[in-house]
PDB file of all heavy atoms in Angstrom:
ATOM      1  N   LEU F  53      82.782 106.179 109.310  1.00 77.00           N
ATOM      2  CA  LEU F  53      81.909 107.253 108.687  1.00 77.00           C
ATOM      3  C   LEU F  53      82.670 107.966 107.589  1.00 77.00           C
ATOM      4  O   LEU F  53      82.049 108.193 106.538  1.00 77.00           O
ATOM      5  CB  LEU F  53      81.525 108.271 109.840  1.00 77.00           C
ATOM      6  CG  LEU F  53      80.672 107.660 110.979  1.00 77.00           C
ATOM      7  CD1 LEU F  53      80.503 108.732 112.002  1.00 77.00           C
ATOM      8  CD2 LEU F  53      79.301 107.164 110.409  1.00 77.00           C
ATOM      9  N   THR F  54      83.922 108.267 107.803  1.00 82.00           N
ATOM     10  CA  THR F  54      84.650 109.066 106.596  1.00 82.00           C
ATOM     11  C   THR F  54      84.907 108.149 105.504  1.00 82.00           C
ATOM     12  O   THR F  54      84.835 108.673 104.346  1.00 82.00           O
ATOM     13  CB  THR F  54      86.026 109.622 107.280  1.00 82.00           C
ATOM     14  OG1 THR F  54      86.751 108.577 107.766  1.00 82.00           O
ATOM     15  CG2 THR F  54      85.778 110.646 108.302  1.00 82.00           C
ATOM     16  N   THR F  55      85.120 106.893 105.727  1.00 81.00           N
ATOM     17  CA  THR F  55      85.356 105.986 104.540  1.00 81.00           C
ATOM     18  C   THR F  55      84.061 105.859 103.710  1.00 81.00           C
ATOM     19  O   THR F  55      84.061 105.896 102.542  1.00 81.00           O
ATOM     20  CB  THR F  55      85.800 104.569 105.045  1.00 81.00           C
ATOM     21  OG1 THR F  55      87.023 104.767 105.782  1.00 81.00           O
ATOM     22  CG2 THR F  55      86.100 103.688 103.858  1.00 81.00           C
ATOM     23  N   SER F  56      82.901 105.701 104.380  1.00 82.00           N
ATOM     24  CA  SER F  56      81.629 105.591 103.732  1.00 82.00           C
ATOM     25  C   SER F  56      81.385 106.893 103.033  1.00 82.00           C
ATOM     26  O   SER F  56      80.839 106.921 101.827  1.00 82.00           O
ATOM     27  CB  SER F  56      80.499 105.362 104.747  1.00 82.00           C
ATOM     28  OG  SER F  56      80.768 104.141 105.387  1.00 82.00           O
ATOM     29  N   ARG F  57      81.638 108.095 103.615  1.00 87.00           N
ATOM     30  CA  ARG F  57      81.368 109.400 102.923  1.00 87.00           C
ATOM     31  C   ARG F  57      82.348 109.544 101.694  1.00 87.00           C
ATOM     32  O   ARG F  57      81.857 109.998 100.681  1.00 87.00           O
ATOM     33  CB  ARG F  57      81.622 110.517 103.908  1.00 87.00           C
ATOM     34  CG  ARG F  57      81.508 111.859 103.365  1.00 87.00           C
ATOM     35  CD  ARG F  57      80.047 112.169 103.130  1.00 87.00           C
ATOM     36  NE  ARG F  57      79.962 113.560 102.631  1.00 87.00           N
ATOM     37  CZ  ARG F  57      79.140 114.054 101.713  1.00 87.00           C
ATOM     38  NH1 ARG F  57      78.268 113.207 101.119  1.00 87.00           N
ATOM     39  NH2 ARG F  57      79.098 115.332 101.453  1.00 87.00           N
ATOM     40  N   PHE F  58      83.510 109.051 101.832  1.00 87.00           N
ATOM     41  CA  PHE F  58      84.473 109.134 100.632  1.00 87.00           C
ATOM     42  C   PHE F  58      83.898 108.332  99.480  1.00 87.00           C
ATOM     43  O   PHE F  58      83.881 108.803  98.329  1.00 87.00           O
ATOM     44  CB  PHE F  58      85.876 108.661 101.007  1.00 87.00           C
ATOM     45  CG  PHE F  58      86.824 108.593  99.893  1.00 87.00           C
ATOM     46  CD1 PHE F  58      87.332 109.804  99.376  1.00 87.00           C
ATOM     47  CD2 PHE F  58      87.130 107.378  99.406  1.00 87.00           C
ATOM     48  CE1 PHE F  58      88.171 109.695  98.303  1.00 87.00           C
ATOM     49  CE2 PHE F  58      88.063 107.347  98.324  1.00 87.00           C
ATOM     50  CZ  PHE F  58      88.562 108.444  97.734  1.00 87.00           C
ATOM     51  N   ILE F  59      83.486 107.117  99.777  1.00 85.00           N
ATOM     52  CA  ILE F  59      82.956 106.336  98.737  1.00 85.00           C
ATOM     53  C   ILE F  59      81.762 106.848  98.103  1.00 85.00           C
ATOM     54  O   ILE F  59      81.546 106.865  96.852  1.00 85.00           O
ATOM     55  CB  ILE F  59      82.657 104.799  99.266  1.00 85.00           C
ATOM     56  CG1 ILE F  59      84.025 104.108  99.631  1.00 85.00           C
ATOM     57  CG2 ILE F  59      81.857 103.992  98.248  1.00 85.00           C
ATOM     58  CD1 ILE F  59      83.889 102.853 100.416  1.00 85.00           C
ATOM     59  N   GLU F  60      80.874 107.456  98.912  1.00 89.00           N
ATOM     60  CA  GLU F  60      79.692 108.061  98.418  1.00 89.00           C
ATOM     61  C   GLU F  60      79.955 109.256  97.487  1.00 89.00           C
ATOM     62  O   GLU F  60      79.380 109.394  96.369  1.00 89.00           O
ATOM     63  CB  GLU F  60      78.879 108.538  99.661  1.00 89.00           C
ATOM     64  CG  GLU F  60      77.515 109.249  99.267  1.00 89.00           C
ATOM     65  CD  GLU F  60      76.765 109.840 100.505  1.00 89.00           C
ATOM     66  OE1 GLU F  60      76.936 109.185 101.579  1.00 89.00           O
ATOM     67  OE2 GLU F  60      76.294 110.973 100.408  1.00 89.00           O
ATOM     68  N   LEU F  61      80.950 110.110  97.824  1.00 92.00           N
ATOM     69  CA  LEU F  61      81.336 111.255  97.046  1.00 92.00           C
ATOM     70  C   LEU F  61      82.029 110.739  95.799  1.00 92.00           C
ATOM     71  O   LEU F  61      81.823 111.452  94.694  1.00 92.00           O
ATOM     72  CB  LEU F  61      82.214 112.205  97.827  1.00 92.00           C
ATOM     73  CG  LEU F  61      81.583 113.039  98.941  1.00 92.00           C
ATOM     74  CD1 LEU F  61      82.652 113.716  99.755  1.00 92.00           C
ATOM     75  CD2 LEU F  61      80.577 113.958  98.412  1.00 92.00           C
ATOM     76  N   ALA F  62      82.805 109.726  95.778  1.00 90.00           N
ATOM     77  CA  ALA F  62      83.404 109.235  94.667  1.00 90.00           C
ATOM     78  C   ALA F  62      82.454 108.755  93.637  1.00 90.00           C
ATOM     79  O   ALA F  62      82.528 108.934  92.481  1.00 90.00           O
ATOM     80  CB  ALA F  62      84.411 108.123  94.963  1.00 90.00           C
ATOM     81  N   GLN F  63      81.410 108.031  94.121  1.00 89.00           N
ATOM     82  CA  GLN F  63      80.394 107.603  93.206  1.00 89.00           C
ATOM     83  C   GLN F  63      79.494 108.786  92.607  1.00 89.00           C
ATOM     84  O   GLN F  63      79.152 108.671  91.523  1.00 89.00           O
ATOM     85  CB  GLN F  63      79.492 106.587  93.984  1.00 89.00           C
ATOM     86  CG  GLN F  63      80.071 105.275  94.230  1.00 89.00           C
ATOM     87  CD  GLN F  63      79.262 104.368  95.140  1.00 89.00           C
ATOM     88  OE1 GLN F  63      78.297 104.813  95.775  1.00 89.00           O
ATOM     89  NE2 GLN F  63      79.663 103.097  95.334  1.00 89.00           N
ATOM     90  N   LYS F  64      79.324 109.726  93.453  1.00 92.00           N
ATOM     91  CA  LYS F  64      78.522 110.892  93.045  1.00 92.00           C
ATOM     92  C   LYS F  64      79.213 111.643  91.839  1.00 92.00           C
ATOM     93  O   LYS F  64      78.627 112.075  90.980  1.00 92.00           O
ATOM     94  CB  LYS F  64      78.298 111.839  94.237  1.00 92.00           C
ATOM     95  CG  LYS F  64      77.444 113.077  93.890  1.00 92.00           C
ATOM     96  CD  LYS F  64      77.253 113.922  95.119  1.00 92.00           C
ATOM     97  CE  LYS F  64      76.484 115.192  94.699  1.00 92.00           C
ATOM     98  NZ  LYS F  64      76.331 116.039  95.898  1.00 92.00           N
ATOM     99  N   PHE F  65      80.490 111.750  91.985  1.00 93.00           N
ATOM    100  CA  PHE F  65      81.278 112.477  90.905  1.00 93.00           C
ATOM    101  C   PHE F  65      81.918 111.499  89.883  1.00 93.00           C
ATOM    102  O   PHE F  65      82.835 111.891  89.165  1.00 93.00           O
ATOM    103  CB  PHE F  65      82.390 113.318  91.598  1.00 93.00           C
ATOM    104  CG  PHE F  65      81.809 114.501  92.395  1.00 93.00           C
ATOM    105  CD1 PHE F  65      81.816 114.408  93.756  1.00 93.00           C
ATOM    106  CD2 PHE F  65      81.215 115.551  91.786  1.00 93.00           C
ATOM    107  CE1 PHE F  65      81.271 115.386  94.586  1.00 93.00           C
ATOM    108  CE2 PHE F  65      80.644 116.613  92.497  1.00 93.00           C
ATOM    109  CZ  PHE F  65      80.741 116.536  93.926  1.00 93.00           C
ATOM    110  N   ASN F  66      81.387 110.314  89.827  1.00 91.00           N
ATOM    111  CA  ASN F  66      81.785 109.358  88.861  1.00 91.00           C
ATOM    112  C   ASN F  66      83.256 109.084  88.793  1.00 91.00           C
ATOM    113  O   ASN F  66      83.906 109.005  87.794  1.00 91.00           O
ATOM    114  CB  ASN F  66      81.358 109.789  87.368  1.00 91.00           C
ATOM    115  CG  ASN F  66      79.780 109.825  87.246  1.00 91.00           C
ATOM    116  OD1 ASN F  66      79.173 109.028  87.873  1.00 91.00           O
ATOM    117  ND2 ASN F  66      79.326 110.833  86.590  1.00 91.00           N
ATOM    118  N   ILE F  67      83.823 108.978  89.987  1.00 89.00           N
ATOM    119  CA  ILE F  67      85.247 108.564  90.127  1.00 89.00           C
ATOM    120  C   ILE F  67      85.280 107.050  90.249  1.00 89.00           C
ATOM    121  O   ILE F  67      84.613 106.476  91.149  1.00 89.00           O
ATOM    122  CB  ILE F  67      85.926 109.224  91.392  1.00 89.00           C
ATOM    123  CG1 ILE F  67      85.817 110.771  91.195  1.00 89.00           C
ATOM    124  CG2 ILE F  67      87.381 108.758  91.575  1.00 89.00           C
ATOM    125  CD1 ILE F  67      86.328 111.519  92.370  1.00 89.00           C
ATOM    126  N   ASN F  68      86.067 106.444  89.392  1.00 85.00           N
ATOM    127  CA  ASN F  68      86.111 104.964  89.236  1.00 85.00           C
ATOM    128  C   ASN F  68      86.997 104.484  90.466  1.00 85.00           C
ATOM    129  O   ASN F  68      88.236 104.809  90.422  1.00 85.00           O
ATOM    130  CB  ASN F  68      86.605 104.547  87.960  1.00 85.00           C
ATOM    131  CG  ASN F  68      86.487 103.042  87.814  1.00 85.00           C
ATOM    132  OD1 ASN F  68      85.829 102.364  88.649  1.00 85.00           O
ATOM    133  ND2 ASN F  68      87.051 102.541  86.711  1.00 85.00           N
ATOM    134  N   LEU F  69      86.466 103.773  91.357  1.00 80.00           N
ATOM    135  CA  LEU F  69      87.181 103.200  92.510  1.00 80.00           C
ATOM    136  C   LEU F  69      87.374 101.664  92.292  1.00 80.00           C
ATOM    137  O   LEU F  69      86.420 101.030  91.930  1.00 80.00           O
ATOM    138  CB  LEU F  69      86.620 103.451  93.866  1.00 80.00           C
ATOM    139  CG  LEU F  69      86.427 104.812  94.344  1.00 80.00           C
ATOM    140  CD1 LEU F  69      85.628 104.878  95.644  1.00 80.00           C
ATOM    141  CD2 LEU F  69      87.800 105.422  94.613  1.00 80.00           C
ATOM    142  N   THR F  70      88.496 101.203  92.559  1.00 78.00           N
ATOM    143  CA  THR F  70      88.701  99.795  92.567  1.00 78.00           C
ATOM    144  C   THR F  70      89.016  99.324  93.957  1.00 78.00           C
ATOM    145  O   THR F  70      90.096  99.766  94.535  1.00 78.00           O
ATOM    146  CB  THR F  70      89.884  99.379  91.651  1.00 78.00           C
ATOM    147  OG1 THR F  70      89.660  99.897  90.368  1.00 78.00           O
ATOM    148  CG2 THR F  70      90.016  97.914  91.562  1.00 78.00           C
ATOM    149  N   MET F  71      88.131  98.559  94.594  1.00 73.00           N
ATOM    150  CA  MET F  71      88.264  98.219  95.899  1.00 73.00           C
ATOM    151  C   MET F  71      88.581  96.701  95.992  1.00 73.00           C
ATOM    152  O   MET F  71      87.910  95.889  95.246  1.00 73.00           O
ATOM    153  CB  MET F  71      87.013  98.495  96.726  1.00 73.00           C
ATOM    154  CG  MET F  71      86.763 100.015  96.924  1.00 73.00           C
ATOM    155  SD  MET F  71      85.310 100.362  97.830  1.00 73.00           S
ATOM    156  CE  MET F  71      85.552  99.424  99.385  1.00 73.00           C
ATOM    157  N   VAL F  72      89.538  96.381  96.717  1.00 76.00           N
ATOM    158  CA  VAL F  72      89.863  94.935  96.876  1.00 76.00           C
ATOM    159  C   VAL F  72      88.931  94.154  97.695  1.00 76.00           C
ATOM    160  O   VAL F  72      88.523  93.012  97.453  1.00 76.00           O
ATOM    161  CB  VAL F  72      91.331  94.766  97.432  1.00 76.00           C
ATOM    162  CG1 VAL F  72      91.711  93.402  97.665  1.00 76.00           C
ATOM    163  CG2 VAL F  72      92.332  95.473  96.572  1.00 76.00           C
ATOM    164  N   GLY F  73      88.401  94.829  98.720  1.00 75.00           N
ATOM    165  CA  GLY F  73      87.381  94.223  99.632  1.00 75.00           C
ATOM    166  C   GLY F  73      86.853  95.366 100.448  1.00 75.00           C
ATOM    167  O   GLY F  73      86.979  96.525 100.164  1.00 75.00           O
ATOM    168  N   ALA F  74      86.076  94.892 101.494  1.00 71.00           N
ATOM    169  CA  ALA F  74      85.527  95.843 102.375  1.00 71.00           C
ATOM    170  C   ALA F  74      86.549  96.439 103.224  1.00 71.00           C
ATOM    171  O   ALA F  74      87.544  95.880 103.510  1.00 71.00           O
ATOM    172  CB  ALA F  74      84.423  95.127 103.166  1.00 71.00           C
ATOM    173  N   PRO F  75      86.308  97.756 103.661  1.00 67.00           N
ATOM    174  CA  PRO F  75      87.307  98.447 104.500  1.00 67.00           C
ATOM    175  C   PRO F  75      87.491  97.605 105.813  1.00 67.00           C
ATOM    176  O   PRO F  75      86.551  97.216 106.396  1.00 67.00           O
ATOM    177  CB  PRO F  75      86.696  99.831 104.728  1.00 67.00           C
ATOM    178  CG  PRO F  75      85.663  99.921 103.770  1.00 67.00           C
ATOM    179  CD  PRO F  75      85.234  98.675 103.263  1.00 67.00           C
ATOM    180  N   ILE F  76      88.735  97.542 106.243  1.00 71.00           N
ATOM    181  CA  ILE F  76      88.999  96.868 107.534  1.00 71.00           C
ATOM    182  C   ILE F  76      89.357  97.857 108.558  1.00 71.00           C
ATOM    183  O   ILE F  76      90.238  98.721 108.326  1.00 71.00           O
ATOM    184  CB  ILE F  76      90.157  95.904 107.288  1.00 71.00           C
ATOM    185  CG1 ILE F  76      89.836  94.826 106.240  1.00 71.00           C
ATOM    186  CG2 ILE F  76      90.627  95.208 108.573  1.00 71.00           C
ATOM    187  CD1 ILE F  76      91.013  93.965 105.831  1.00 71.00           C
ATOM    188  N   ILE F  77      88.649  97.764 109.640  1.00 68.00           N
ATOM    189  CA  ILE F  77      88.896  98.742 110.786  1.00 68.00           C
ATOM    190  C   ILE F  77      89.502  97.879 111.927  1.00 68.00           C
ATOM    191  O   ILE F  77      88.839  96.905 112.342  1.00 68.00           O
ATOM    192  CB  ILE F  77      87.626  99.452 111.154  1.00 68.00           C
ATOM    193  CG1 ILE F  77      87.097 100.285 109.989  1.00 68.00           C
ATOM    194  CG2 ILE F  77      87.881 100.287 112.449  1.00 68.00           C
ATOM    195  CD1 ILE F  77      85.855 100.925 110.185  1.00 68.00           C
ATOM    196  N   ILE F  78      90.599  98.197 112.323  1.00 71.00           N
ATOM    197  CA  ILE F  78      91.248  97.385 113.393  1.00 71.00           C
ATOM    198  C   ILE F  78      90.828  98.055 114.770  1.00 71.00           C
ATOM    199  O   ILE F  78      90.832  99.222 114.980  1.00 71.00           O
ATOM    200  CB  ILE F  78      92.895  97.495 113.306  1.00 71.00           C
ATOM    201  CG1 ILE F  78      93.284  96.871 111.993  1.00 71.00           C
ATOM    202  CG2 ILE F  78      93.506  96.834 114.428  1.00 71.00           C
ATOM    203  CD1 ILE F  78      94.679  97.039 111.580  1.00 71.00           C
ATOM    204  N   GLY F  79      90.599  97.160 115.711  1.00 68.00           N
ATOM    205  CA  GLY F  79      90.145  97.613 117.033  1.00 68.00           C
ATOM    206  C   GLY F  79      88.585  97.603 117.096  1.00 68.00           C
ATOM    207  O   GLY F  79      87.867  97.310 116.081  1.00 68.00           O
ATOM    208  N   ASN F  80      88.092  97.567 118.301  1.00 71.00           N
ATOM    209  CA  ASN F  80      86.702  97.523 118.542  1.00 71.00           C
ATOM    210  C   ASN F  80      86.106  98.913 118.425  1.00 71.00           C
ATOM    211  O   ASN F  80      86.647  99.856 118.901  1.00 71.00           O
ATOM    212  CB  ASN F  80      86.411  96.922 119.918  1.00 71.00           C
ATOM    213  CG  ASN F  80      86.982  95.578 120.171  1.00 71.00           C
ATOM    214  OD1 ASN F  80      86.893  94.754 119.180  1.00 71.00           O
ATOM    215  ND2 ASN F  80      87.427  95.209 121.319  1.00 71.00           N
ATOM    216  N   PRO F  81      84.928  98.978 117.671  1.00 71.00           N
ATOM    217  CA  PRO F  81      84.253 100.231 117.603  1.00 71.00           C
ATOM    218  C   PRO F  81      83.799 100.665 119.050  1.00 71.00           C
ATOM    219  O   PRO F  81      83.440  99.810 119.833  1.00 71.00           O
ATOM    220  CB  PRO F  81      83.071 100.054 116.668  1.00 71.00           C
ATOM    221  CG  PRO F  81      82.930  98.512 116.716  1.00 71.00           C
ATOM    222  CD  PRO F  81      84.179  97.956 117.061  1.00 71.00           C
ATOM    223  N   ASP F  82      83.808 102.015 119.276  1.00 73.00           N
ATOM    224  CA  ASP F  82      83.326 102.498 120.636  1.00 73.00           C
ATOM    225  C   ASP F  82      81.808 102.368 120.704  1.00 73.00           C
ATOM    226  O   ASP F  82      81.139 102.609 119.675  1.00 73.00           O
ATOM    227  CB  ASP F  82      83.837 103.915 120.712  1.00 73.00           C
ATOM    228  CG  ASP F  82      83.820 104.370 122.188  1.00 73.00           C
ATOM    229  OD1 ASP F  82      83.744 103.563 123.093  1.00 73.00           O
ATOM    230  OD2 ASP F  82      83.850 105.539 122.424  1.00 73.00           O
TER     231      ASP F  82
END
């Protein structure tokens, strides 16, 4: 959730992000 929110805010304020790939979350989601 926090990663998605960070990406959303970065796009809203025109901050250029360079992502290598999708975020990787280790472990099983609850």
